[in-house]
Amino acid sequence: MEFPSGLRSLSLVLLVASSAFASVLQRRDPVPDGYVAAPYYPAPYGGWSDEWSDSYAKAVDMVSNMTLAEKVNITAGPCVGNTGSVPRLGFPQLCLQDGPLGVRTTDNITAFPAGITTGATWDKDLIYQRGVAIGKEFRGKGANFYLGPVVGALGRKPRGGRNWEGFGADPVLQAIAGAETIRGAQEQGVIATLKHLIGNEQELYRMYNLLQQAYSSNIDDRTLHELYLWPFAEGVHAGVGSIMTAYPAVNGSADSQNSYLINGLLKEELGFQGLVMTDWLAQISGVASALAGLDMSMPGDTIGNNIPLTGLSDWQYELTRSVLNGSVPVDRLNDMATRVVATWYQLGQDQDYPPPNFSSNTADAVGPLYPGAVVSPIGVVNQYVNVQDDHWKVAKQVAQEAITLLKNNGSMLPLSTSSSLFVFGTDSQADPNGINSCTDKSCNHGLVGMGWGSGSANYPYLDDPISSLRRKATNVTYYDTDTFPSVETPTEDDVAIVFINSDSGENSYTVEDNHGDRDADGLAAWHGGDTLVQNAAAEYSNVVVVVHTVGPITMESWIDLPSVKAVLVAHLPGQEAGDSLTEVLYGEVSPSGHLPYSIPVSEDDYPDSVGLVSTPTLSQIQDTYSEGLYIDYRYLNKAGTKPRFAFGHGLSYANFSFSNATITRVTELSTLPPARDPKPISPVAALNTTLPPAAEAYYPVGFVAIWRYLYSWLSDIEADAAYAIGAAGEETYPYPEGYSSEQRTDVTAAGGASGGNAALWDVAYTISVTITNEAAAASASSSNSNSSSPNTNANTNANTNTTDTTAAATTAFAGKAVAQAYVQFPTDISYDTPIIQLRDFAKTATLAAGESATVELTLTRKDVSVWDVMQQNWVVPSTTGRYSVWLGQASDALGTVCYSDTLSCESGVEGPV
Ligand SMILES: *[C@@H]1O[C@H](CO)[C@@H](O)[C@H](O)[C@H]1NC(C)=O
Ligand SMILES: *[C@@H]1O[C@H](CO)[C@@H](O)[C@H](O)[C@H]1NC(C)=O
Ligand SMILES: *[C@@H]1O[C@H](CO)[C@@H](O)[C@H](O)[C@H]1NC(C)=O
Ligand SMILES: *[C@@H]1O[C@H](CO)[C@@H](O)[C@H](O)[C@H]1NC(C)=O
Ligand SMILES: *[C@@H]1O[C@H](CO)[C@@H](O)[C@H](O)[C@H]1NC(C)=O
Ligand SMILES: *[C@@H]1O[C@H](CO)[C@@H](O)[C@H](O)[C@H]1NC(C)=O
Ligand SMILES: CC(=O)N[C@H]1CO[C@H](CO)[C@@H](O)[C@@H]1O
């Protein structure tokens, strides 16, 4: 949301140059056959859902009193990240602020753990609590919109630059974590913004620019529904107020003006009642985007031809003109404005919502009030409101509960505090140049606590691991280097802890040749980290590897070395990186994180289609999702390829068993969901659709405009000219194929409520399972291969080498367990489905040795359905066949199964993969 000032002066020069490139921009390779963004017009009105009816009633009342220029004013921003206001009616400017892990570009906030870390906790309540804390901080700073959470990128490409902003490479993990975050944040009155819709799975070539169109993500209808749209449906179901489109195109049509995505899928099928905004500078047309269902242009400047900050806009005065001359129907503008105002009412922001008290543009107390303008009045822009409260606690808990123990040979962990520690790797310490020394974290110096780009935030402080280790350990020797130094000959008891990392971020920055995506380093550790581990393992007999990473790294060059005894993935911990980790290292807390993606043996284990795409030509790159439903573990399982560590894998110091599983049928399922309710008439239909008089667009008499500030007014001459065209019905806009301005009555059977047909959320089955912390019996039971014993195979690597007498072998550890439920569809159905798919999960409270807890997991109708592209509906492919619901602590450790046909469960069975 900030633009370098150099760019501003460059912009006019480039504007002139840009027309020369116009023809280049038109070039594109054809979208492959079968991938279609079918036109869907017009934009469905909002306001027909019961949950939103009060807000719409108030919004329609307010919008009915707005002039043309006022309605237009609230659909785009005159300054970076704010909408215009309607002072006459008391509707304020709305402040939109990044980012998903904390309030960006300001101070006195909490830098929470990233989305990928949050997903790795597999703890719904904790995810919700993080959302609550984030919501409080945005509200405290006076930001109306929280530009998060992120559920797209979904994590299709292991090298994708922004996967870490989301929750993991699975639609259900994304959906549940996204919905919990939305609930938590929105309960504070903040408008959450679920993003990015859809197909932004790589950073390179994501944007339309002077030379090239953004790539097209070509996604078939079933894959779109079952993977990429799934978390958005769950977010709409959770009541999210706002959705942001992605930069690229889907099936050849840019997301910000893709009528199939916005009108057809989001507003009709998912029944979305809130507002749809662009990603920053993603809007590439005026009329076309309005017709395709876009409600808000952010930040409002044009990139159409193709430069920001020229004071030009595709909307504002241009949208006013487009309505007056008849190109954009008045009812579309009515709906846009009503969606914005209704969302503001829906979140209660008409009641004492604080105005912004910070500036994204400067840390100084006093600065320009309109930073986008060249000449701006000066005033107080930063009040340094401290919104941190005690949110460090939830931040630390997320960081800690995400820590994923991959391997623990010989009960290496937990460490004894008397061990002498030798710590290697710059990643164990905060950036010595300063914790916020690189803009938006666009460097890899020291600990990687978050990726780079607009999804980052400033650290208020950074509790780094080396400081925490020094506080806890009796003797720490730190080698501040990523190149293995010469060391004194270690003793058998010395412990080496090696910190390595892998980083990625937004394409707006290139870091060590990685252009957002990990295009240079791939899935290797940065700065020669793999060699550092190997060298440490050659000297020391006890090596613990700690990985801070944005996503999977491959570990084959060192994972099997005998002295690499333990490996922890600490993901991206945010500000609480130190004690959260060392408490796990020393056994004060058992690790309880689980991988939110698979760690493959080799990147080549995945299909080529999930590699990064590029093209030598200047035409539009086609990124075709030919792997369909088969990403991450879905692909590896189908290919019969064992990963090094499976999706969902994570060990504990405790040893858990599953027992007494039961399955209950709650709703008798029909093949198709029951018919949806008819769609009520929207109150938006009551708004006046007559062409407004030109005078509603005139600048106020005597008004002095600020250069580069965006206004919704036109000069009298321009307004009169546009009105004359509109009044005469002489507009010549080339409407797209399939265009109509009549609200459609042929509503989709798959829709009907927020998120889709309400019956999709009917609970089909509940499954309960008792999880017991097996206490001191841990070591014995995991070597017990008796098939009638409870399922303990998730722990086959833990605590099994009991030859030494560290704490683990003798102490019974408390810990939290995660139950994961994967559905396997009946085998005799006509739809190809992945062998197993995550559908629900639950984390226990801390279980003391010997203690048990029973968790309940649910399967909804949607969970046992497939998207049928011919019927355009969710179909239960077999109502009597056997669905197997596999339970366990990892996707490859599923030793308990329940059957939908016999309503029986078994433990101690061989898993499906
Ligand atoms: C809109 O105008 C009507 C009629 O003048 C008035 O009753 C109502 O209070 C106004 N609503 C708002 C929100 O300004
Ligand atoms: C548009 O918003 C700006 C900024 O809040 C405000 O100054 C201006 O008066 C608004 N225009 C209209 C037509 O209300
Ligand atoms: C700490 O460890 C180093 C390296 O093994 C050793 O030289 C030093 O004596 C130790 N210091 C203490 C206080 O144990
Ligand atoms: C097994 O589960 C059922 C259903 O949840 C419960 O009623 C029963 O008490 C449980 N038995 C044990 C031994 O935990
Ligand atoms: C609708 O708007 C037109 C143009 O502003 C106006 O002439 C007309 O009176 C309005 N109709 C109603 C019912 O308010
Ligand atoms: C036990 O340790 C040995 C030697 O480090 C290793 O080869 C073996 O895989 C370990 N066993 C388990 C079950 O992890
Ligand atoms: C508690 C805290 O972090 N306060 C900071 C708020 O921001 C100002 C300006 O950056 C700092 O000076 C304070 O230390």
Side-chain angles (χ1 to χ4, degrees):
M1 289 173 50
E2 275 184 315
F3 303 102
S5 51
L7 187 60
R8 297 179 193 180
S9 38
L10 249 185
S11 58
L12 276 181
V13 179
L14 289 174
L15 179 68
V16 174
S18 71
S19 54
F21 291 107
S23 58
V24 175
L25 187 59
Q26 303 310 314
R27 289 179 53 180
R28 68 189 200 190
D29 291 345
V31 174
D33 284 349
Y35 296 94
V36 183
Y40 192 103
Y41 295 100
Y45 297 154
W48 49 268
S49 155
D50 284 351
E51 301 129 55
W52 286 69
S53 56
D54 288 352
S55 305
Y56 265 85
K58 291 184 215 160
V60 163
D61 178 51
M62 181 179 282
V63 171
S64 71
N65 296 350
M66 286 185 186
T67 66
L68 172 60
E70 287 171 339
K71 290 178 202 173
V72 168
N73 210 29
I74 62 174
T75 65
C79 59
V80 177
N82 296 275
T83 64
S85 64
V86 182
R88 196 172 59 82
L89 301 175
F91 188 77
Q93 275 199 305
L94 302 178
C95 162
L96 296 89
Q97 189 64 10
D98 290 322
L101 61 67
V103 191
R104 184 181 169 211
T105 56
T106 186
D107 45 62
N108 296 287
I109 56 109
T110 305
F112 290 91
I116 200 72
T117 317
T118 309
T121 67
W122 298 68
D123 185 332
K124 292 177 185 173
D125 185 58
L126 187 56
I127 296 169
Y128 164 81
Q129 294 301 342
R130 173 179 173 273
V132 168
I134 288 174
K136 286 183 170 159
E137 297 205 356
F138 275 77
R139 185 185 182 111
K141 288 286 185 184
N144 300 81
F145 286 75
Y146 157 47
L147 298 177
V150 173
V151 295
L154 186 95
R156 168 179 179 244
K157 301 191 180 205
R159 292 188 181 209
R162 293 176 79 183
N163 295 346
W164 58 274
E165 295 186 34
F167 303 101
D170 177 276
V172 169
L173 185 55
Q174 294 275 10
I176 292 174
E180 293 294 346
T181 306
I182 289 163
R183 275 190 202 98
Q186 291 203 155
E187 282 171 14
Q188 316 316 312
V190 176
I191 302 167
T193 303
L194 195 58
K195 63 188 190 179
H196 308 83
L197 184 90
I198 270 172
N200 198 161
E201 298 289 330
Q202 86 166 36
E203 285 297 288
L204 279 159
Y205 316 111
R206 66 181 175 154
M207 276 179 96
Y208 287 75
N209 63 34
L210 293 178
L211 299 175
Q212 191 166 32
Q213 306 198 32
Y215 61 79
S216 174
S217 292
N218 302 317
I219 315 177
D220 68 82
D221 188 35
R222 181 167 169 213
T223 300
L224 189 60
H225 278 83
E226 293 190 22
L227 292 191
Y228 300 96
L229 193 63
W230 185 294
F232 286 93
E234 207 64 37
V236 173
H237 187 67
V240 73
S242 161
I243 288 180
M244 185 191 291
T245 60
Y247 286 115
V250 164
N251 298 352
S253 174
D255 286 2
S256 62
Q257 54 183 35
N258 188 320
S259 69
Y260 160 67
L261 277 187
I262 305 174
N263 289 340
L265 294 180
L266 189 55
K267 290 187 173 176
E268 185 55 51
E269 187 178 313
L270 303 189
F272 179 56
Q273 307 286 310
L275 67 95
V276 179
M277 71 173 75
T278 60
D279 204 338
W280 263 238
L281 301 170
Q283 191 182 25
I284 58 168
S285 71
V287 176
S289 58
L291 301 181
L294 187 69
D295 303 307
M296 188 182 276
S297 165
M298 276 294 135
D301 308 65
T302 179
I303 191 171
N305 254 334
N306 237 349
I307 309 298
L309 301 166
T310 49
L312 302 177
S313 179
D314 282 324
W315 279 4
Q316 289 290 9
Y317 57 91
E318 289 294 7
L319 183 56
T320 301
R321 193 198 319 273
S322 305
V323 172
L324 276 182
N325 74 13
S327 308
V328 172
V330 175
D331 73 331
R332 180 69 267 267
L333 178 64
N334 287 341
D335 180 58
M336 288 159 69
T338 310
R339 283 176 180 271
V340 174
V341 177
T343 304
W344 178 74
Y345 277 123
Q346 179 78 358
L347 275 296
Q349 294 194 350
D350 56 320
Q351 307 290 326
D352 302 324
Y353 202 85
N357 51 44
F358 70 101
S359 167
S360 290
N361 293 280
T362 174
D364 297 340
V366 171
L369 294 174
Y370 308 110
V374 169
V375 183
S376 162
I378 301 294
V380 172
V381 290
N382 276 309
Q383 298 169 31
Y384 308 112
V385 175
N386 190 320
V387 294
Q388 294 164 334
D389 201 343
D390 64 353
H391 302 154
W392 68 271
K393 288 182 184 166
V394 68
K396 180 182 167 193
Q397 201 183 340
V398 172
Q400 185 160 74
E401 291 207 16
I403 291 172
T404 308
L405 179 61
L406 297 182
K407 166 176 178 170
N408 193 19
N409 273 12
S411 299
M412 176 71 212
L413 296 179
L415 300 171
S416 145
T417 44
S418 60
S419 310
S420 283
L421 297 187
F422 298 83
V423 178
F424 300 88
T426 57
D427 178 76
S428 74
Q429 66 174 350
D431 182 348
N433 302 330
I435 50 179
N436 297 310
S437 60
C438 298
T439 310
D440 291 330
K441 303 287 172 287
S442 58
C443 64
N444 185 330
H445 298 158
L447 178 100
V448 173
M450 56 183 80
W452 73 77
S454 64
S456 66
N458 289 332
Y459 290 118
Y461 60 81
L462 176 53
D463 176 29
D464 61 7
I466 191 64
S467 309
S468 179
L469 284 168
R470 284 179 171 139
R471 287 194 295 270
K472 282 189 192 292
T474 38
N475 194 349
V476 179
T477 308
Y478 176 40
Y479 297 96
D480 171 15
T481 173
D482 294 322
T483 309
F484 196 73
S486 72
V487 296
E488 280 182 33
T489 308
T491 71
E492 278 294 291
D493 297 330
D494 286 346
V495 175
I497 306 186
V498 184
F499 285 83
I500 61 175
N501 69 39
S502 177
D503 206 350
S504 73
E506 196 171 13
N507 183 234
S508 34
Y509 303 96
T510 298
V511 179
E512 299 181 29
D513 295 331
N514 294 272
H515 296 82
D517 305 310
R518 294 189 282 175
D519 56 328
D521 281 84
L523 307 192
W526 284 38
H527 304 162
D530 297 314
T531 307
L532 185 66
V533 175
Q534 291 170 53
N535 289 340
E539 291 285 333
Y540 293 85
S541 334
N542 307 298
V543 175
V544 177
V545 182
V546 176
V547 191
H548 289 117
T549 182
V550 291
I553 66 164
T554 49
M555 302 177 170
E556 295 309 303
S557 66
W558 46 263
I559 190 70
D560 276 333
L561 296 175
S563 46
V564 176
K565 297 262 171 68
V567 180
L568 290 167
V569 177
H571 307 281
L572 303 174
Q575 69 183 38
E576 303 295 336
D579 285 355
S580 61
L581 175 71
T582 56
E583 287 167 11
V584 169
L585 286 172
Y586 285 110
E588 293 164 50
V589 176
S590 286
S592 65
H594 290 256
L595 286 176
Y597 44 73
S598 306
I599 293 185
V601 170
S602 157
E603 201 180 349
D604 297 337
D605 290 345
Y606 286 121
D608 290 346
S609 63
V610 303
L612 300 176
V613 288
S614 64
T615 177
T617 73
L618 292 173
S619 66
Q620 184 179 43
I621 297 166
Q622 302 299 317
D623 186 1
T624 299
Y625 290 34
S626 54
E627 76 289 343
L629 301 172
Y630 296 96
I631 62 166
D632 203 83
Y633 67 92
R634 289 167 170 78
Y635 180 82
L636 297 174
N637 290 342
K638 181 185 164 96
T641 306
K642 292 275 176 227
R644 171 52 71 165
F645 295 109
F647 179 86
H649 173 76
L651 306 176
S652 172
Y653 301 149
N655 195 334
F656 300 108
S657 68
F658 283 28
S659 62
N660 194 23
T662 64
I663 179 168
T664 308
R665 182 179 291 132
V666 180
T667 307
E668 201 74 45
L669 296 178
S670 48
T671 302
L672 288 174
R676 60 173 282 176
D677 291 336
K679 190 171 168 180
I681 300 284
S682 162
V684 174
L687 286 165
N688 193 337
T689 58
T690 310
L691 197 66
E696 287 193 14
Y698 295 167
Y699 272 99
V701 176
F703 188 83
V704 180
I706 300 172
W707 184 50
R708 297 204 317 191
Y709 202 93
L710 304 178
Y711 296 101
S712 57
W713 292 297
L714 292 169
S715 70
D716 298 10
I717 294 170
E718 287 181 296
D720 290 345
Y723 179 83
I725 297 169
E730 284 170 355
E731 105 284 331
T732 53
Y733 185 77
Y735 288 103
E737 190 196 337
Y739 179 73
S740 153
S741 59
E742 292 293 316
Q743 286 288 301
R744 288 171 70 148
T745 50
D746 59 334
V747 295
T748 167
S754 290
N757 186 326
L760 294 174
W761 280 271
D762 286 348
V763 174
Y765 300 95
T766 58
I767 293 102
S768 85
V769 66
T770 300
I771 304 177
T772 304
N773 181 348
E774 292 290 339
S779 310
S781 75
S782 57
S783 57
N784 174 2
S785 60
N786 180 345
S787 66
S788 67
S789 73
N791 166 31
T792 55
N793 52 0
N795 277 347
T796 47
N797 265 351
N799 303 338
T800 49
N801 282 347
T802 53
T803 46
D804 69 356
T805 52
T806 57
T810 52
T811 312
F813 287 95
K816 295 185 176 185
V818 169
Q820 305 171 21
Y822 296 80
V823 70
Q824 181 174 24
F825 279 69
T827 47
D828 57 349
I829 59 172
S830 57
Y831 302 86
D832 182 34
T833 54
I835 299 174
I836 52 168
Q837 305 189 69
L838 181 72
R839 286 300 190 240
D840 200 5
F841 55 87
K843 195 169 201 171
T844 65
T846 301
L847 298 178
E851 204 179 340
S852 296
T854 298
V855 297
E856 190 162 284
L857 302 150
T858 59
L859 258 58
T860 63
R861 168 186 279 278
K862 191 173 176 186
D863 289 332
V864 295
S865 299
V866 295
W867 177 256
D868 186 300
V869 298
M870 295 310 292
Q871 301 190 60
Q872 287 292 293
N873 206 343
W874 292 98
V875 168
V876 178
S878 171
T879 54
T880 52
R882 164 167 291 197
Y883 284 86
S884 303
V885 186
W886 294 92
L887 305 175
Q889 300 182 72
S891 67
D892 66 345
L894 300 169
T896 296
V897 63
C898 295
Y899 303 113
S900 68
D901 52 349
T902 55
L903 298 179
S904 60
C905 302
E906 292 176 66
S907 272
V909 296
E910 186 85 359
V913 294

